Amino acid sequence: MEPSLETSIGQIHLKRPVMLASGILGISLDVFNRLYRSGAGAVVTKSLSTEPWEGYPNPTIFSVKGGGWINAVGLSNPGAPNFAKMIEPNKDVPIIVSLVGSIPGDFEMMVKQFENCKVTAYELNLSCPHVAKVGLEVGDDPELVKKIVTAVKNTTNVPVIAKVGLGTTHYLETVGTAIESGIDAITAINTVRAMAIDTETQRPILSNKFGGLSGTPIKPIALRCVYEISSKYDIPIIGCGGISTWEDAIEFFLAGASGIQLGSAIGDNWIQVFDEINDGIIQYMKRKEFSTIKEMVGLAKKS
Amino acid sequence: MQRNHNHPTIVTIEKVIDETPTVRTLVFSDEIMSDVLPGQFAMVWIPGINELPMSVMISKDSGKAAFTVRKHGPASTGLFNIKKGEQIGIRGPYGNSFDLKEGRLLLVGGGTGLVPMMRLLTFVKPTDDVTVLIGAKTKDEVFFEKLANELLEKNPHKVIVSTDDGSYGEKGFVTDLVEKLVNETKFDGIYTCGPEVMMYKTVQSAHSRGLFVQASLERMMKCGVGICGSCCVGEDLVCRDGTVFDGEHLSKNKEFGYFHRNKAGILENY
């Protein structure tokens, strides 16, 4: 029998395990449809705020000479109300709505905007490393994490994911707080705070000076975090960080992730990367005689 | 280390040419940019100011390339004000290019949209019969007319300028000229770059008559590599799927000619 790519991340059921990560390509329903046709199991939207945000001036993204990307787009987005209207006609694509805000009320207001939309899950961005008052600054405050997760859980029956990253508070503590507050799953990790300086003009390249490092350089770090979370807690995990090949995907499953997200790989290899990874996973499963993704999840912890 | 085309490479401006009171061409040395195809673009970093997508302009000297910029917003004004000897960063080239047909060709350019048209002229065959339409608002804003004639020296050709106010060349919109020409002549290839409404009308005139037409689109861009999504038009990404699209494809796109997205990604009418 042909192995199945279907996966369940808690109550989130997907036909394919590779998702588009937040912040990438996410402002048009037409593009979401195209990505879904290209093999994405779900798409995570750009992180939405209560109001439209323009983001930072360029340069906002460039690649690092040795590999990987640094970005500080500044969470530019059309705002949750505009965005909700745009995805209302969606029927086919599993859409995970990413939200960013400062206080529980921001998140409640935004979740209510999506009441008439087909939303597969919400992902709370508790880890953006380059915008003040949101993201990591929220994720680093356990009391605030508790209040926000509780507020969102009380507002919707749709599964809620917390996206954690490397801040000043140890991410394992943030994960623990989110679990106590009723979170359904964890995405780990976000980009890692970084910068680059141009030696000719002697200036930081990004207009915001600091940005988030993504791509292959952070994959071993992300993998370690997924392994640590799955070793300590019984919570469904989505692996994210530098995944660009099927081997990367398998590593994350073996470390304890039931699904994965990718972004930078699209900059490197464009959107056929979804099907390439899906095919690679299938071939691996045939060779190793797995019939479901679930059989692989966390296997690296067996000894 | 091999050049990473997604990381800014610093180049020094060697020459500044005033094309009009508001348009300048900045020349620099770079082998890779000197060889790009018509329709390809670079992300141009003006240190301390911004980074902009720019079509790569030709230079008469080998190994050199250029950008032609009109001062408009803070970013393009920053580039316009760069002086000889100052440095900018470039990454790319990005994007696809025009499919060059042979025979009777019509090129329609407006404003700095003439840049890829000029590069395209360096690829035409000596036997091609080429008509170039240059659209401008007024006489002061006409540029590249002489250059187009020079590039087409060995070809049967016409360079026609139209100004909206009639202060130079033919009076009226360049798209009215397109409509007239495609009624008279069965062109083998029509190419356009410039303001989107101009391109939309050109594509409509050509496509409705079954003529092969391509347009090079411009959108707000942040990454240039298909990550940020800012430049989407329907399901197409201008940076990765374009900048050049066929009339056949564009005629099915619901946003082309009608909407662009602002910095927050909200659709706005033209």
Side-chain angles (χ1 to χ4, degrees):
Chain A
M1 208 177 76
E2 186 82 0
S4 167
L5 283 174
E6 277 180 43
T7 189
S8 294
I9 303 139
Q11 295 304 308
I12 304 163
H13 307 291
L14 303 177
K15 286 187 181 147
R16 299 179 293 252
V18 192
M19 294 166 248
L20 175 79
S22 180
I24 317 293
L25 286 177
I27 50 175
S28 151
L29 184 55
D30 289 337
V31 174
F32 288 159
N33 272 297
R34 179 177 172 186
L35 290 163
Y36 189 52
R37 289 201 311 272
S38 303
V43 296
V44 187
T45 69
K46 278 184 182 271
S47 288
L48 302 163
S49 45
T50 57
E51 302 280 325
W53 285 356
E54 288 195 352
Y56 298 130
N58 279 350
T60 45
I61 309 179
F62 63 93
S63 79
V64 184
K65 282 181 182 165
W69 298 79
I70 302 183
N71 92 81
V73 171
L75 297 174
S76 82
N77 79 89
N82 284 318
F83 196 88
K85 264 185 228 128
M86 184 193 76
I87 65 162
E88 230 170 67
N90 175 51
K91 289 191 185 76
D92 305 321
V93 187
I95 294 180
I96 296 175
V97 173
S98 173
L99 302 173
V100 71
S102 303
I103 54 168
D106 290 348
F107 290 87
E108 284 171 342
M109 174 273 192
M110 288 192 281
V111 168
K112 283 178 186 157
Q113 302 295 317
F114 291 92
E115 276 170 356
N116 298 321
C117 300
K118 182 178 172 266
V119 172
T120 298
Y122 292 99
E123 184 180 86
L124 312 180
N125 182 350
L126 306 176
S127 44
C128 171
H130 56 76
V131 178
K133 307 272 189 266
V134 298
L136 268 183
E137 288 189 21
V138 171
D140 278 339
D141 181 343
E143 272 309 301
L144 197 49
V145 169
K146 192 184 282 179
K147 283 181 189 156
I148 288 169
V149 173
T150 308
V152 175
K153 285 299 293 176
N154 287 337
T155 313
T156 179
N157 292 320
V158 171
V160 185
I161 308 161
K163 184 169 180 177
V164 300
L166 307 182
T168 51
T169 301
H170 199 285
Y171 70 93
L172 281 174
E173 195 185 315
T174 313
V175 170
T177 309
I179 293 172
E180 280 166 31
S181 316
I183 206 78
D184 298 287
I186 297 289
T187 298
I189 59 175
N190 208 313
T191 58
V192 179
R193 199 163 156 84
M195 79 179 300
I197 294 170
D198 177 60
T199 51
E200 277 300 310
T201 56
Q202 302 167 347
R203 285 172 184 276
I205 298 175
L206 292 172
S207 74
N208 186 56
K209 299 183 180 70
F210 305 109
L213 176 66
S214 64
T216 47
I218 71 164
K219 196 208 82 184
I221 303 171
L223 189 68
R224 180 263 295 182
C225 295
V226 167
Y227 191 94
E228 282 183 342
I229 296 168
S230 76
S231 301
K232 185 164 181 183
Y233 300 109
D234 182 20
I235 183 86
I237 304 166
I238 299 168
C240 180
I243 295 165
S244 63
T245 65
W246 66 265
E247 289 98 328
D248 295 338
I250 300 290
E251 274 192 87
F252 276 84
F253 296 142
L254 298 175
S258 310
I260 54 171
Q261 296 176 358
L262 57 83
S264 299
I266 290 172
D268 294 319
N269 300 321
W270 200 214
I271 53 181
Q272 59 268 23
V273 70
F274 289 106
D275 268 342
E276 285 167 9
I277 294 178
N278 287 336
D279 287 348
I281 295 171
I282 290 279
Q283 296 311 319
Y284 176 84
M285 289 172 80
K286 280 184 184 164
R287 184 158 59 81
K288 293 287 187 181
E289 296 180 351
F290 291 112
S291 51
T292 64
I293 299 281
K294 195 178 175 185
E295 292 165 33
M296 294 187 277
V297 174
L299 270 191
K301 294 180 294 178
K302 64 189 169 190
S303 46
Chain B
M1 193 192 285
Q2 208 189 347
R3 177 152 152 185
N4 172 345
H5 79 285
N6 294 319
H7 189 93
T9 294
I10 303 298
V11 297
T12 303
I13 299 303
E14 294 166 11
K15 193 156 65 168
V16 177
I17 304 161
D18 285 329
E19 307 287 359
T20 78
T22 57
V23 178
R24 277 179 188 160
T25 298
L26 313 172
V27 184
F28 58 95
S29 294
D30 191 74
E31 290 291 341
I32 291 171
M33 291 296 165
S34 77
D35 285 339
V36 307
L37 298 168
Q40 291 191 297
F41 68 98
M43 292 301 291
V44 180
W45 177 35
I46 314 116
I49 296 178
N50 213 310
E51 189 189 41
L52 283 171
M54 297 289 300
S55 287
V56 185
M57 183 57 195
I58 48 170
S59 168
K60 286 173 195 159
D61 306 317
S62 85
K64 294 192 195 298
F67 297 115
T68 296
V69 60
R70 180 192 295 280
K71 67 170 176 180
H72 180 64
S76 60
T77 303
L79 187 56
F80 177 87
N81 287 332
I82 292 274
K83 292 176 184 63
K84 185 181 165 180
E86 291 184 337
Q87 292 178 312
I88 55 172
I90 48 171
R91 58 187 177 94
Y94 298 120
N96 65 359
S97 65
F98 291 104
D99 297 325
L100 202 50
K101 301 285 181 185
E102 288 180 35
R104 287 202 179 91
L105 307 178
L106 174 64
L107 279 61
V108 186
T112 49
L114 281 162
V115 167
M117 297 293 108
M118 293 301 115
R119 192 165 274 275
L120 200 150
L121 288 182
T122 66
F123 286 84
V124 298
K125 308 234 165 15
T127 46
D128 292 333
D129 181 336
V130 188
T131 304
V132 180
L133 299 185
I134 295 177
K137 283 197 178 112
T138 182
K139 186 182 177 182
D140 281 353
E141 292 182 15
V142 177
F143 57 98
F144 288 167
E145 183 190 8
K146 187 165 160 261
L147 178 64
N149 276 307
E150 282 169 15
L151 291 168
L152 290 168
E153 214 173 24
K154 297 192 176 86
N155 290 71
H157 75 276
K158 263 187 248 151
V159 177
I160 307 169
V161 178
S162 76
T163 50
D164 298 357
D165 64 0
S167 52
Y168 184 71
E170 308 228 358
K171 184 182 189 323
F173 295 123
V174 71
T175 46
D176 297 334
L177 272 177
V178 173
E179 184 68 15
K180 194 172 140 232
L181 287 176
V182 293
N183 267 333
E184 294 163 359
T185 308
K186 195 178 177 308
F187 288 100
D188 298 293
I190 299 174
Y191 306 93
T192 182
C193 186
E196 193 156 311
V197 176
M198 183 202 92
M199 291 195 284
Y200 176 77
K201 286 184 178 164
T202 300
V203 166
Q204 263 199 329
S205 294
H207 185 63
S208 63
R209 289 169 176 84
L211 300 174
F212 178 82
V213 57
Q214 290 186 320
S216 168
L217 270 54
E218 184 181 358
R219 277 291 184 280
M220 223 259 305
M221 274 186 203
K222 292 178 182 174
C223 71
V225 297
I227 292 181
C228 74
S230 319
C231 67
C232 67
V233 183
E235 67 166 43
D236 297 318
L237 277 300
V238 171
C239 67
R240 206 83 194 217
D241 301 311
T243 63
V244 177
F245 296 90
D246 288 350
E248 173 67 23
H249 188 79
L250 289 172
S251 65
K252 294 180 193 121
N253 192 306
K254 295 185 290 275
E255 292 178 17
F256 172 66
Y258 292 96
F259 304 105
H260 61 98
R261 281 171 201 274
N262 68 13
K263 285 179 187 166
I266 300 170
L267 278 181
E268 289 176 345
N269 281 301
Y270 271 110

